[in-house]
Amino acid sequence: MTARKHLKIGLFGFGTVGRALFELLKTTRPDGVEIKRICVNNINKDRGVSADFTDNPDDIFNDPEINMIVELIDNAEASYGIITRALRQGLPAVSGNKKMLASHLPELIELQTVTGGTLLYDASACGSIPVIRNLEEYYDNDLLISVKGILNGSSNYILTKVFKEHISYDTALRMAQEAGFAESDPSLDVDGWDALSKLVIITVHAFGTYVDPSKIFTFGISSLSEADIRFANEKSRRIKLVGHVEKLADGRICMCVIPQLLSADKYIYGVDDEFNGVVIKGLCYDKQFMFGRGAGGFPTGSAILSDITAGQYNYRYEYKKRQTHAGELPEFTNDVCFRIYYRYNRPEDLNIIDFDSISEKYSSASVNYVVGTTSLKALHDAAPELRKRRVFLAAYPKS
Amino acid sequence: MTARKHLKIGLFGFGTVGRALFELLKTTRPDGVEIKRICVNNINKDRGVSADFTDNPDDIFNDPEINMIVELIDNAEASYGIITRALRQGLPAVSGNKKMLASHLPELIELQTVTGGTLLYDASACGSIPVIRNLEEYYDNDLLISVKGILNGSSNYILTKVFKEHISYDTALRMAQEAGFAESDPSLDVDGWDALSKLVIITVHAFGTYVDPSKIFTFGISSLSEADIRFANEKSRRIKLVGHVEKLADGRICMCVIPQLLSADKYIYGVDDEFNGVVIKGLCYDKQFMFGRGAGGFPTGSAILSDITAGQYNYRYEYKKRQTHAGELPEFTNDVCFRIYYRYNRPEDLNIIDFDSISEKYSSASVNYVVGTTSLKALHDAAPELRKRRVFLAAYPKS
């Protein structure tokens, strides 16, 4: 049996998750894990806890006793600096910064290979659901077909309030912020950017391929209107914000973050509140569904703590799909057609999207919508305009 | 990155799962995994596949090229012989034999420590759901409270047919057998023995404690009657066969396999057909739910293949809870009270169970039942009589 390492942690950041981690360590007292020093921006703020704070990263990086870096800050650039410095110094590191990871994964994987360093970040995708480690450890051999899920707890909380409790979008957003589920910039949640980062990370572990986030069509729920809610209700569907990666018949993969009109027989239809849910589909085992809390300090702190204790056993991601299929990793494509619901304001808004065909068209004094077939490529091309004009769209599968 | 080992497998058994594994390897062609030789009882049977069969275990154990043993046979004693021989020879082994594992885990863990050998058996609990590896890898630090689930696909398939499609119990059992979900001895499925083995294995990885199966109250669905189904329907509940381990407030753990009358708000209420579903509850992350195919050749074969490829990377269970809490592992107890529904045939059958209190009592010409509070200890004491008299009982929580 592998010996359990004694860890003295240098922690960066003491926000919701950092504080939750601190409290968790006090409560659970795992063997051989302690936070030695915490680096924060403002050392003078009274945080009401007894710990060794500093505002100088060198105090952590130059402390010979510190043998793990845990980084829980909001700023993606600063996060990148901390993590690369840790890896170059050969210090195992844990990060919760999805945006940083989604932007820099290929270099960070390369850096781990070169330095022999270790970077763990299971907490970064879906909080307490161990998606990455599962894809890494368990779906290695299977003919994986797709990973699809509700990846952002905050927007899901809002949609649940809107659809199940008939609360207005704005009130629901405020409630999510008050409950501590929302990112400091709500656009990260409601416009799909947070889900996009997670999807990019998940895809690296699911299929090996890294796709630059800017190539992936991403559309959120911030322009959701009463008309859209009415449309969904009339069709007995609910709107959920879904991140999706799928292997096509030709071996390429497509990806998107998009609201979907889901029927009640879908697993993720029932994933409510701030929960996340992921459906993993393979050729051999059909579907698997994992479900758990995806937002909030303690669920995320708990996932961070799992990364830390995994580090005690020298656990590391092997990036198996990248190893196995190196040189022949699935290519990314936006060349996929599907049916959408598109609600717009002025007649000319209809021209933003290049539709292959339109099967339904509705106009009234207050609302216009069409149901039609288009491609991810057309949507990606139209994305900046779509966001500007406050229109709304959702994938609308036939069943 | 760890190098991927080239594996030449000696396979024991070529039943439903063995054959599925063989087919899967042909389809997925994972790097560096091949079946070198297959040991079966009857070498003369025409299996319609081209492979190197033998009926002599020595042909496998004495082959210097074979560097992994995969054991997929029905017979628990023979399985034990194969696995211990493999470990003593220093050969990594994969087993799917739940009954053998549930009976011998402590020695097999000890043997791994002594010989440095590796035994993997994720496929043994819940087929394609990676429960063991998750408990092992991910729930190390958390204050785990309980693991509860539908652990047997065949009995769940039967209950689904009975409750959702109003098919008779006997017909549903025959359908399960025809679909290849049932164990060769159906009593293993419908009387809860298969779920019991899985529960024992899960508990070792969840809490570190090994409990001898004979100490655990186990009751199945084979005496389910129309009256019981009617009772459940009247209360808007469904009966599911549930395996359950829970840490009590005093730190001890209780375990049982028992039919439960579940209300629709429970996660596992919606786990239908041959699917398995497991709810893991912790202090920090509330509940997590995992769901997937738990029976059938391909889902199980796929889980076996995951164990095999994990072996390529020298993955091994660390038995972290047993390490961490050695000497102070949670004790097992049957000293827990709860409410049950108990349906019996003759008035004297009521006396078999020592009830603390009875809150409802119903008698008619055709059926008698009570709702009352009793303990796991009382039920365990009464178990042999209960089985003999074809009565039925189910846990009946207030909500």
Side-chain angles (χ1 to χ4, degrees), chain A residues 2 4 24 128 130 133-134 137-138 141-142 267 284 286 288-289 291 293 302 305-306 313 318 324, chain B residues 2 4 24 128 130 133-134 137-138 141-142 267 284 286 288-289 291 293 302 305-306 318 320 324:
Chain A
T2 315
R4 201 173 170 125
L24 269 176
S128 65
R133 216 172 297 173
N134 264 298
E137 289 302 319
Y138 207 79
N141 59 281
D142 291 300
Y267 292 146
C284 313
D286 194 13
Q288 295 195 18
F289 176 53
F291 176 92
R293 284 196 192 274
S302 156
L305 187 46
S306 277
Y313 292 95
E318 301 282 350
T324 314
Chain B
T2 314
R4 202 174 170 125
L24 270 175
S128 65
R133 216 171 296 173
N134 265 297
E137 288 303 319
Y138 207 78
N141 59 282
D142 292 300
Y267 292 144
C284 313
D286 194 12
Q288 295 195 18
F289 177 53
F291 176 93
R293 283 197 192 274
S302 155
L305 188 45
S306 277
E318 300 283 350
K320 290 176 193 166
T324 314

Side-chain angles (χ1 to χ4, degrees), chain A residues 234-252:
Chain A
E234 282 168 11
K235 311 295 178 193
S236 304
R237 302 215 180 183
R238 280 193 204 151
I239 294 170
K240 296 275 185 193
L241 184 57
V242 176
H244 192 160
V245 53
E246 178 153 0
K247 206 198 252 173
L248 304 171
D250 64 9
R252 294 186 296 174

Side-chain angles (χ1 to χ4, degrees), chain A residues 4-10 25 30-36 65-70 91-92 94 120 304-314:
Chain A
R4 201 173 170 125
K5 249 195 329 204
H6 190 99
L7 294 181
K8 290 185 190 252
I9 292 171
L25 283 171
D31 244 26
V33 180
E34 59 178 295
I35 294 178
K36 174 129 197 251
E65 276 195 346
I66 285 177
N67 56 4
M68 175 178 267
I69 300 295
V70 176
L91 285 167
V94 171
L120 296 177
I304 293 282
L305 187 46
S306 277
D307 280 338
I308 293 172
T309 51
Q312 284 193 292
Y313 292 95
N314 299 315

Side-chain angles (χ1 to χ4, degrees), chain A residues 158-380:
Chain A
I158 294 168
L159 289 171
T160 304
K161 294 288 163 204
V162 165
F163 275 88
K164 287 186 78 177
E165 300 176 26
H166 313 291
I167 289 168
S168 79
Y169 177 86
D170 292 332
T171 310
L173 171 58
R174 211 168 45 242
M175 289 168 72
Q177 286 171 320
E178 281 162 12
F181 300 141
E183 297 284 335
S184 46
D185 170 6
S187 160
L188 289 176
D189 294 313
V190 296
D191 290 325
W193 306 118
D194 174 74
L196 172 65
S197 295
K198 292 168 183 172
L199 182 67
V200 169
I201 298 169
I202 284 172
T203 300
V204 167
H205 291 273
F207 296 103
T209 306
Y210 169 79
V211 181
D212 190 287
S214 67
K215 295 183 181 167
I216 302 163
F217 177 63
T218 302
F219 197 80
I221 57 163
S222 62
S223 59
L224 184 78
S225 73
E226 283 305 316
D228 308 319
I229 298 165
R230 210 178 316 123
F231 180 86
N233 285 331
E234 282 168 11
K235 311 295 178 193
S236 304
R237 302 215 180 183
R238 280 193 204 151
I239 294 170
K240 296 275 185 193
L241 184 57
V242 176
H244 192 160
V245 53
E246 178 153 0
K247 206 198 252 173
L248 304 171
D250 64 9
R252 294 186 296 174
I253 53 169
C254 67
M255 295 160 78
C256 61
V257 174
I258 191 171
Q260 293 208 3
L261 283 150
L262 292 171
S263 52
D265 59 339
K266 298 291 179 291
Y267 292 146
I268 52 179
Y269 177 94
V271 175
D272 283 336
D273 301 317
E274 78 277 20
F275 281 84
N276 284 187
V278 178
V279 177
I280 297 169
K281 204 170 153 189
L283 210 59
C284 313
Y285 45 75
D286 194 13
K287 287 179 187 168
Q288 295 195 18
F289 176 53
M290 293 196 288
F291 176 92
R293 284 196 192 274
F298 281 99
T300 311
S302 156
I304 293 282
L305 187 46
S306 277
D307 280 338
I308 293 172
T309 51
Q312 284 193 292
Y313 292 95
N314 299 315
Y315 176 83
R316 53 187 302 149
Y317 303 135
E318 301 282 350
Y319 300 97
K320 290 175 191 167
K321 317 272 163 62
R322 283 177 82 83
Q323 277 195 75
T324 314
H325 306 286
E328 38 163 342
L329 289 174
E331 247 177 75
F332 169 76
T333 179
N334 270 329
D335 189 13
V336 201
C337 287
F338 57 103
R339 192 169 80 143
I340 66 165
Y341 157 84
Y342 175 51
R343 191 262 311 148
Y344 52 101
N345 305 320
R346 294 159 310 168
E348 60 267 35
D349 292 339
L350 183 54
N351 305 326
I352 312 174
I353 299 174
D354 187 9
F355 279 96
D356 295 340
S357 66
I358 286 178
S359 57
E360 293 176 44
K361 188 164 180 174
Y362 176 90
S363 300
S364 74
S366 59
V367 62
N368 312 297
Y369 72 77
V370 295
V371 171
T373 304
T374 182
S375 70
L376 269 182
K377 184 177 177 316
L379 290 174
H380 188 256

